[in-house]
Short mmCIF file of all heavy atoms in Angstrom, two decimals:
data_model
loop_
_atom_site.label_atom_id
_atom_site.label_comp_id
_atom_site.label_asym_id
_atom_site.label_seq_id
_atom_site.Cartn_x
_atom_site.Cartn_y
_atom_site.Cartn_z
N LYS M 1 26.16 49.03 -60.50
CA LYS M 1 25.63 47.70 -60.22
C LYS M 1 25.35 46.92 -61.49
O LYS M 1 25.39 45.70 -61.50
CB LYS M 1 24.34 47.80 -59.40
CG LYS M 1 24.49 48.54 -58.11
CD LYS M 1 25.42 47.83 -57.17
CE LYS M 1 25.49 48.60 -55.85
NZ LYS M 1 26.67 48.33 -55.11
N ALA M 2 25.01 47.59 -62.56
CA ALA M 2 24.67 46.90 -63.80
C ALA M 2 24.84 47.86 -64.97
O ALA M 2 24.86 49.08 -64.80
CB ALA M 2 23.23 46.40 -63.75
N ILE M 3 24.96 47.27 -66.13
CA ILE M 3 25.03 48.05 -67.37
C ILE M 3 23.97 47.50 -68.30
O ILE M 3 23.91 46.30 -68.55
CB ILE M 3 26.42 47.93 -68.02
CG1 ILE M 3 27.49 48.52 -67.10
CG2 ILE M 3 26.42 48.62 -69.37
CD1 ILE M 3 28.88 48.35 -67.62
N ALA M 4 23.14 48.38 -68.82
CA ALA M 4 22.12 47.99 -69.79
C ALA M 4 22.60 48.45 -71.16
O ALA M 4 23.06 49.57 -71.32
CB ALA M 4 20.78 48.61 -69.45
N VAL M 5 22.51 47.57 -72.14
CA VAL M 5 22.98 47.88 -73.48
C VAL M 5 21.82 47.71 -74.45
O VAL M 5 21.12 46.71 -74.41
CB VAL M 5 24.15 46.95 -73.88
CG1 VAL M 5 24.62 47.26 -75.28
CG2 VAL M 5 25.28 47.07 -72.88
N ARG M 6 21.66 48.71 -75.31
CA ARG M 6 20.61 48.63 -76.31
C ARG M 6 21.18 49.16 -77.62
O ARG M 6 21.86 50.17 -77.65
CB ARG M 6 19.42 49.48 -75.88
CG ARG M 6 18.29 49.46 -76.86
CD ARG M 6 17.15 50.28 -76.35
NE ARG M 6 16.14 50.39 -77.37
CZ ARG M 6 15.10 51.17 -77.29
NH1 ARG M 6 14.92 51.93 -76.25
NH2 ARG M 6 14.23 51.20 -78.26
N GLY M 7 20.92 48.48 -78.69
CA GLY M 7 21.42 48.95 -79.97
C GLY M 7 21.64 47.81 -80.93
O GLY M 7 21.27 46.67 -80.67
N THR M 8 22.29 48.13 -82.04
CA THR M 8 22.48 47.13 -83.09
C THR M 8 23.94 46.77 -83.29
O THR M 8 24.25 45.86 -84.04
CB THR M 8 21.92 47.66 -84.42
OG1 THR M 8 22.57 48.89 -84.74
CG2 THR M 8 20.42 47.87 -84.32
N LYS M 9 24.86 47.47 -82.63
CA LYS M 9 26.27 47.19 -82.80
C LYS M 9 26.75 46.20 -81.75
O LYS M 9 26.09 45.96 -80.74
CB LYS M 9 27.08 48.48 -82.74
CG LYS M 9 26.73 49.42 -83.88
CD LYS M 9 27.61 50.63 -83.89
CE LYS M 9 27.21 51.50 -85.07
NZ LYS M 9 28.06 52.64 -85.21
N ASP M 10 27.93 45.63 -81.99
CA ASP M 10 28.52 44.67 -81.06
C ASP M 10 28.91 45.34 -79.75
O ASP M 10 29.21 46.53 -79.71
CB ASP M 10 29.76 44.03 -81.67
CG ASP M 10 29.43 43.12 -82.84
OD1 ASP M 10 28.28 42.69 -82.94
OD2 ASP M 10 30.34 42.86 -83.64
N VAL M 11 28.90 44.55 -78.69
CA VAL M 11 29.39 45.00 -77.39
C VAL M 11 30.78 44.40 -77.21
O VAL M 11 30.95 43.18 -77.27
CB VAL M 11 28.45 44.52 -76.25
CG1 VAL M 11 29.01 44.92 -74.91
CG2 VAL M 11 27.06 45.10 -76.45
N ASN M 12 31.76 45.25 -77.01
CA ASN M 12 33.13 44.79 -76.85
C ASN M 12 33.53 44.89 -75.38
O ASN M 12 33.40 45.95 -74.77
CB ASN M 12 34.08 45.63 -77.71
CG ASN M 12 33.77 45.47 -79.18
OD1 ASN M 12 33.66 44.36 -79.68
ND2 ASN M 12 33.59 46.58 -79.88
N LEU M 13 33.99 43.78 -74.83
CA LEU M 13 34.45 43.76 -73.45
C LEU M 13 35.96 43.91 -73.41
O LEU M 13 36.67 43.37 -74.27
CB LEU M 13 34.06 42.43 -72.78
CG LEU M 13 32.56 42.11 -72.74
CD1 LEU M 13 32.34 40.72 -72.19
CD2 LEU M 13 31.83 43.14 -71.90
N ALA M 14 36.46 44.60 -72.40
CA ALA M 14 37.90 44.81 -72.28
C ALA M 14 38.62 43.48 -72.09
O ALA M 14 39.66 43.24 -72.69
CB ALA M 14 38.20 45.76 -71.12
N ARG M 15 38.08 42.61 -71.23
CA ARG M 15 38.68 41.30 -70.97
C ARG M 15 37.59 40.24 -71.16
O ARG M 15 37.17 39.58 -70.20
CB ARG M 15 39.26 41.27 -69.57
CG ARG M 15 40.39 42.28 -69.37
CD ARG M 15 41.09 42.18 -68.03
NE ARG M 15 40.23 42.05 -66.88
CZ ARG M 15 39.84 43.05 -66.10
NH1 ARG M 15 40.23 44.28 -66.36
NH2 ARG M 15 39.08 42.84 -65.05
N GLY M 16 37.15 40.10 -72.40
CA GLY M 16 36.03 39.23 -72.72
C GLY M 16 36.24 37.77 -72.34
O GLY M 16 35.35 37.13 -71.79
N ALA M 17 37.45 37.23 -72.61
CA ALA M 17 37.73 35.82 -72.29
C ALA M 17 37.67 35.60 -70.78
O ALA M 17 37.13 34.60 -70.31
CB ALA M 17 39.09 35.42 -72.84
N GLU M 18 38.20 36.56 -70.02
CA GLU M 18 38.17 36.46 -68.56
C GLU M 18 36.74 36.50 -68.04
O GLU M 18 36.35 35.75 -67.15
CB GLU M 18 38.99 37.61 -67.96
CG GLU M 18 39.07 37.59 -66.46
CD GLU M 18 39.84 38.79 -65.93
OE1 GLU M 18 40.70 39.34 -66.64
OE2 GLU M 18 39.55 39.16 -64.77
N PHE M 19 35.93 37.38 -68.63
CA PHE M 19 34.52 37.50 -68.25
C PHE M 19 33.78 36.20 -68.55
O PHE M 19 33.02 35.70 -67.71
CB PHE M 19 33.87 38.66 -69.00
CG PHE M 19 32.40 38.78 -68.74
CD1 PHE M 19 31.92 39.30 -67.56
CD2 PHE M 19 31.48 38.35 -69.71
CE1 PHE M 19 30.56 39.40 -67.33
CE2 PHE M 19 30.12 38.44 -69.47
CZ PHE M 19 29.66 38.97 -68.29
N MET M 20 33.98 35.64 -69.73
CA MET M 20 33.30 34.41 -70.10
C MET M 20 33.73 33.24 -69.21
O MET M 20 32.91 32.37 -68.88
CB MET M 20 33.52 34.08 -71.58
CG MET M 20 32.85 35.08 -72.52
SD MET M 20 31.10 35.37 -72.16
CE MET M 20 30.40 33.81 -72.59
N GLU M 21 34.98 33.20 -68.81
CA GLU M 21 35.45 32.16 -67.89
C GLU M 21 34.76 32.30 -66.53
O GLU M 21 34.35 31.32 -65.92
CB GLU M 21 36.97 32.23 -67.74
CG GLU M 21 37.56 31.06 -67.00
CD GLU M 21 37.33 29.72 -67.70
OE1 GLU M 21 37.27 29.67 -68.94
OE2 GLU M 21 37.21 28.71 -66.97
N HIS M 22 34.62 33.54 -66.08
CA HIS M 22 33.92 33.80 -64.82
C HIS M 22 32.45 33.36 -64.93
O HIS M 22 31.91 32.72 -64.03
CB HIS M 22 34.00 35.28 -64.45
CG HIS M 22 33.25 35.63 -63.21
ND1 HIS M 22 33.66 35.24 -61.96
CD2 HIS M 22 32.10 36.33 -63.03
CE1 HIS M 22 32.80 35.67 -61.06
NE2 HIS M 22 31.84 36.34 -61.69
N MET M 23 31.81 33.68 -66.03
CA MET M 23 30.41 33.30 -66.24
C MET M 23 30.26 31.78 -66.31
O MET M 23 29.26 31.23 -65.86
CB MET M 23 29.85 33.95 -67.50
CG MET M 23 29.71 35.45 -67.39
SD MET M 23 28.82 36.00 -65.92
CE MET M 23 27.24 35.26 -66.16
N LYS M 24 31.23 31.09 -66.87
CA LYS M 24 31.20 29.63 -66.90
C LYS M 24 31.21 29.08 -65.48
O LYS M 24 30.49 28.14 -65.16
CB LYS M 24 32.37 29.08 -67.70
CG LYS M 24 32.36 27.57 -67.82
CD LYS M 24 33.59 27.07 -68.57
CE LYS M 24 33.64 25.58 -68.68
NZ LYS M 24 33.38 24.83 -67.47
N GLY M 25 32.03 29.70 -64.61
CA GLY M 25 32.05 29.29 -63.21
C GLY M 25 30.72 29.49 -62.52
O GLY M 25 30.26 28.65 -61.74
N VAL M 26 30.07 30.61 -62.81
CA VAL M 26 28.75 30.89 -62.23
C VAL M 26 27.74 29.86 -62.72
O VAL M 26 26.96 29.29 -61.93
CB VAL M 26 28.29 32.32 -62.58
CG1 VAL M 26 26.84 32.54 -62.20
CG2 VAL M 26 29.19 33.35 -61.91
N THR M 27 27.75 29.59 -64.01
CA THR M 27 26.82 28.61 -64.59
C THR M 27 27.07 27.22 -64.02
O THR M 27 26.11 26.50 -63.68
CB THR M 27 26.95 28.59 -66.12
OG1 THR M 27 26.69 29.90 -66.62
CG2 THR M 27 25.97 27.61 -66.74
N ASP M 28 28.32 26.85 -63.87
CA ASP M 28 28.65 25.54 -63.28
C ASP M 28 28.13 25.44 -61.85
O ASP M 28 27.62 24.40 -61.43
CB ASP M 28 30.15 25.29 -63.31
CG ASP M 28 30.68 25.04 -64.71
OD1 ASP M 28 29.85 24.78 -65.62
OD2 ASP M 28 31.91 25.13 -64.89
N TYR M 29 28.25 26.52 -61.07
CA TYR M 29 27.76 26.51 -59.69
C TYR M 29 26.24 26.37 -59.66
O TYR M 29 25.70 25.63 -58.84
CB TYR M 29 28.19 27.76 -58.93
CG TYR M 29 27.66 27.74 -57.52
CD1 TYR M 29 28.22 26.89 -56.56
CD2 TYR M 29 26.57 28.52 -57.15
CE1 TYR M 29 27.72 26.85 -55.28
CE2 TYR M 29 26.07 28.48 -55.87
CZ TYR M 29 26.64 27.64 -54.94
OH TYR M 29 26.13 27.58 -53.68
N ILE M 30 25.54 27.08 -60.53
CA ILE M 30 24.08 26.98 -60.60
C ILE M 30 23.68 25.53 -60.89
O ILE M 30 22.80 24.97 -60.23
CB ILE M 30 23.50 27.93 -61.65
CG1 ILE M 30 23.65 29.38 -61.20
CG2 ILE M 30 22.03 27.61 -61.94
CD1 ILE M 30 23.28 30.40 -62.25
N LYS M 31 24.33 24.93 -61.86
CA LYS M 31 24.02 23.53 -62.20
C LYS M 31 24.33 22.60 -61.03
O LYS M 31 23.56 21.68 -60.74
CB LYS M 31 24.79 23.11 -63.44
CG LYS M 31 24.30 23.78 -64.71
CD LYS M 31 25.15 23.39 -65.91
CE LYS M 31 24.67 24.08 -67.16
NZ LYS M 31 25.52 23.78 -68.32
N TYR M 32 25.45 22.82 -60.35
CA TYR M 32 25.82 22.00 -59.19
C TYR M 32 24.77 22.13 -58.09
O TYR M 32 24.32 21.14 -57.52
CB TYR M 32 27.19 22.40 -58.66
CG TYR M 32 27.52 21.74 -57.35
CD1 TYR M 32 27.97 20.42 -57.30
CD2 TYR M 32 27.33 22.42 -56.16
CE1 TYR M 32 28.24 19.81 -56.09
CE2 TYR M 32 27.60 21.81 -54.93
CZ TYR M 32 28.05 20.50 -54.91
OH TYR M 32 28.31 19.90 -53.71
N ARG M 33 24.39 23.36 -57.76
CA ARG M 33 23.43 23.58 -56.67
C ARG M 33 22.08 22.98 -57.03
O ARG M 33 21.39 22.43 -56.17
CB ARG M 33 23.30 25.08 -56.39
CG ARG M 33 22.36 25.43 -55.27
CD ARG M 33 22.60 24.72 -53.93
NE ARG M 33 23.91 24.95 -53.41
CZ ARG M 33 24.62 24.01 -52.78
NH1 ARG M 33 24.14 22.81 -52.59
NH2 ARG M 33 25.81 24.26 -52.33
N ASN M 34 21.67 23.05 -58.30
CA ASN M 34 20.40 22.44 -58.71
C ASN M 34 20.45 20.92 -58.55
O ASN M 34 19.46 20.30 -58.19
CB ASN M 34 20.06 22.81 -60.14
CG ASN M 34 19.56 24.23 -60.26
OD1 ASN M 34 19.11 24.83 -59.29
ND2 ASN M 34 19.65 24.77 -61.45
N ALA M 35 21.60 20.33 -58.84
CA ALA M 35 21.74 18.87 -58.71
C ALA M 35 21.96 18.44 -57.27
O ALA M 35 21.71 17.29 -56.92
CB ALA M 35 22.90 18.38 -59.58
N ASN M 36 22.42 19.36 -56.41
CA ASN M 36 22.74 19.04 -55.02
C ASN M 36 22.09 20.07 -54.10
O ASN M 36 22.79 20.93 -53.54
CB ASN M 36 24.25 19.05 -54.81
CG ASN M 36 24.94 18.06 -55.70
OD1 ASN M 36 24.90 16.88 -55.46
ND2 ASN M 36 25.58 18.56 -56.75
N PRO M 37 20.78 20.02 -53.91
CA PRO M 37 20.12 21.00 -53.04
C PRO M 37 20.59 20.89 -51.60
O PRO M 37 21.01 19.82 -51.15
CB PRO M 37 18.63 20.68 -53.18
CG PRO M 37 18.57 19.30 -53.73
CD PRO M 37 19.85 19.04 -54.45
N ILE M 38 20.52 22.00 -50.89
CA ILE M 38 20.91 22.02 -49.49
C ILE M 38 19.89 21.21 -48.69
O ILE M 38 18.69 21.47 -48.78
CB ILE M 38 20.97 23.47 -48.97
CG1 ILE M 38 22.00 24.25 -49.78
CG2 ILE M 38 21.30 23.50 -47.49
CD1 ILE M 38 21.97 25.74 -49.53
N PRO M 39 20.34 20.22 -47.93
CA PRO M 39 19.39 19.39 -47.18
C PRO M 39 18.82 20.11 -45.95
O PRO M 39 19.43 21.04 -45.43
CB PRO M 39 20.23 18.18 -46.76
CG PRO M 39 21.64 18.69 -46.73
CD PRO M 39 21.72 19.77 -47.76
N ASP M 40 17.66 19.67 -45.53
CA ASP M 40 17.03 20.11 -44.29
C ASP M 40 16.65 21.60 -44.26
O ASP M 40 16.62 22.20 -43.19
CB ASP M 40 17.89 19.77 -43.08
CG ASP M 40 18.18 18.29 -42.98
OD1 ASP M 40 17.27 17.49 -43.31
OD2 ASP M 40 19.31 17.92 -42.61
#
């Protein structure tokens, strides 16, 4: 369900660009929902 990382070295993702693109989509949705709350 989750990965916890602790330490001083870099964390390398196998498909980092794909992950960051996915996270951008999540962030965009959060911003959209905050600006457009569900009515009623």
Side-chain angles (χ1 to χ4, degrees):
K1 303 295 182 202
I3 296 176
V5 179
R6 180 178 173 189
T8 58
K9 296 185 179 184
D10 292 340
V11 176
N12 297 310
L13 301 174
R15 297 186 315 263
E18 181 183 334
F19 175 77
M20 293 309 292
E21 190 62 31
H22 178 70
M23 292 309 298
K24 182 182 178 314
V26 170
T27 302
D28 290 345
Y29 179 74
I30 290 172
K31 290 177 181 177
Y32 171 80
R33 181 53 58 218
N34 285 339
N36 301 285
I38 299 169
D40 302 323

